[in-house]
Amino acid sequence: MILGIGVDIVHLPRIAAIVHRRGKDKFAKRILSPIEYKEFQSNRLIPSFNDEKQLAYLSSRWCIKEATYKALYPIHKLEWKHVTVIKKEGKPGIDIIDSKLHGIQRAHISLSHDGEYAISQVILEGEKSDQ
């Protein structure tokens, strides 16, 4: 049974403006889970993880988390750090704190980038309905 479907689109210059105003580290601490923040900090030590790739990292997580929030709202109201974006076999996936309490059995994530935009769709499944 589908519990919810969420979609989000983000304009990367909008995220860049927020990062510029608030600071990259402050923004990252606000939206990333502890696992993501540690990964982000480790990646920043790699020379090829330049400003553009850092923006893509933050924007894609913003987008997926927003879509996840929309898939569960208004039944459950998640916070940024309740969702951790992971890679499963080269595809994006998510770990949600207390997902079983929310009835979530599986999550399907799609993320696409095109120019200055990123779009994400999240479909959350629960147990099959008897109806």
Side-chain angles (χ1 to χ4, degrees):
M1 174 177 82
I2 293 177
L3 297 175
I5 299 171
V7 175
D8 193 59
I9 186 167
V10 65
H11 190 223
L12 275 61
R14 177 176 161 243
I15 302 300
I18 294 170
V19 167
H20 180 73
R21 273 195 319 270
R22 296 191 180 168
K24 195 178 296 176
D25 198 57
K26 188 174 180 182
F27 180 74
K29 280 183 181 177
R30 179 175 163 245
I31 70 161
L32 300 178
S33 71
I35 292 168
E36 291 169 315
Y37 184 73
K38 184 176 179 182
E39 178 184 56
F40 181 71
Q41 291 298 74
S42 294
N43 287 344
R44 288 176 77 180
L45 300 174
I46 302 167
S48 62
F49 195 64
N50 58 26
D51 285 343
E52 185 178 327
K53 288 185 180 177
Q54 290 175 37
L55 178 62
Y57 183 96
L58 294 169
S59 298
S60 63
R61 272 129 189 96
W62 174 288
C63 195
I64 291 171
K65 290 174 184 230
E66 278 286 314
T68 304
Y69 180 87
K70 291 172 183 176
L72 281 176
Y73 186 82
I75 310 285
H76 303 288
K77 296 178 182 175
L78 296 175
E79 295 178 14
W80 290 108
K81 294 179 183 187
H82 290 167
V83 179
T84 299
V85 177
I86 57 173
K87 282 193 178 178
K88 289 183 177 180
E89 300 170 9
K91 294 178 69 174
I94 54 173
D95 282 332
I96 301 172
I97 291 177
D98 295 332
S99 60
K100 298 295 182 210
L101 292 176
H102 299 309
I104 301 166
Q105 301 252 320
R106 291 183 64 186
H108 307 274
I109 301 11
S110 180
L111 175 70
S112 183
H113 298 271
D114 187 16
E116 294 185 335
Y117 292 91
I119 186 167
S120 177
Q121 180 177 29
V122 173
I123 300 172
L124 300 175
E125 285 186 76
E127 291 187 22
K128 291 184 179 181
S129 174
D130 292 336
Q131 300 174 350

